[in-house]
Amino acid sequence: MKLILASGNKGKLREFREILEPLGVEIVSQKDAGFDLDVEETGETFEENAYLKAAAVCAASGLPAVADDSGLCVDALDGAPGVLSARFGGGKAWTDEQKYMYLLEKLEGVTDRSARFVSCIACAFPNGDVLRARGECPGRILEAPEGTGGFGYDPVFAPEGYDASFASLGQQVKNQISHRARALAAFRKELESYAHR
Ligand code: IMP
């Protein structure tokens, strides 16, 4: 099966490919498919935004499209940045590094560092069918960034059970335990039962 990934995020594209392609699902970027849309994320939840992105690219292309809406929810900040993770601080004009340094600033002196990454996946089909999946990865925000792997907030997030950040644990470990890995495992099951309906 071939799915268009409704995202311009290279980190997400790499992880979707690494996890789904060994299972026989080909992932084409929306750019390579010729439908490089910038869909406005007007939803209030990860689920709503994932659906908005997948449905827009599916409608434009006439092909099945999958999207991930994800973010980092920090307990001491009442779940922020959450759905606004990509727009935290100075928004899209800011680099990932500016955003995670801004987060560390906000958490200066805060002892409760607990947080979770959330990934919601929606897959829209031209006949109107929609598959959905969700994955979470609990952990904590480090005092300082470390590591060079991954993307986004990976240098400042240590998953539960580890002292190191996602960025220093490396992609292989991240792809086993991350929010996206968990959402994609659930999505794979949905896709398999959909294909055998
Ligand atoms: P969106 O799903 O396009 O709204 O963007 C999600 C944002 O959350 C990304 O731009 C990252 O800043 C952050 N994010 C989502 N998943 C990850 C991850 O696996 N590692 C680090 N940051 C992530």
Side-chain angles (χ1 to χ4, degrees):
M1 176 180 282
K2 195 192 266 195
L3 299 175
I4 300 179
L5 180 64
S7 174
N9 182 316
K10 288 189 182 140
K12 287 185 188 177
L13 179 64
R14 186 183 59 236
E15 292 180 7
F16 264 71
R17 285 193 167 139
E18 285 170 351
I19 296 171
L20 287 183
E21 291 199 341
L23 310 171
V25 181
E26 188 186 344
I27 300 294
V28 183
S29 73
Q30 62 174 32
K31 190 166 177 221
D32 288 347
F35 300 96
D36 208 2
L37 311 184
D38 189 10
V39 180
E40 233 191 303
E41 296 180 20
T42 53
E44 284 178 13
T45 62
F46 294 113
E47 281 86 354
E48 285 175 63
N49 284 335
Y51 173 72
L52 287 175
K53 292 187 272 190
V57 172
C58 175
S61 64
L63 298 166
V66 65
D68 153 298
D69 197 66
S70 46
L72 181 61
C73 304
V74 179
D75 291 348
L77 302 178
D78 294 327
V83 288
L84 300 177
S85 293
R87 290 165 274 169
F88 197 40
K92 286 191 177 173
W94 273 18
T95 62
D96 285 344
E97 187 179 357
Q98 285 174 304
K99 285 176 208 157
Y100 65 65
M101 290 311 292
Y102 179 62
L103 174 66
L104 292 185
E105 239 175 69
K106 282 197 164 286
L107 292 179
E108 237 171 54
V110 176
T111 47
D112 176 9
R113 315 288 296 186
S114 54
R116 67 191 53 246
F117 267 125
V118 178
S119 162
C120 287
I121 291 174
C123 183
F125 293 87
N127 66 358
D129 288 345
V130 181
L131 303 181
R132 296 171 196 273
R134 182 185 175 98
E136 295 194 6
C137 180
R140 67 192 164 85
I141 306 299
L142 297 170
E143 296 286 343
E146 53 163 70
T148 54
F151 69 96
Y153 297 88
D154 281 346
V156 298
F157 180 84
E160 206 168 81
Y162 294 82
D163 284 327
S165 73
F166 262 156
S168 47
L169 286 170
Q171 205 61 52
Q172 229 182 334
V173 175
K174 187 181 176 195
N175 285 350
Q176 297 293 321
I177 60 169
S178 79
H179 48 310
R180 190 160 296 104
R182 289 170 183 166
L184 283 170
F187 173 61
R188 175 195 171 187
K189 285 191 190 148
E190 290 291 309
L191 203 55
E192 277 168 357
S193 46
Y194 182 71
H196 292 110
R197 257 188 353 194

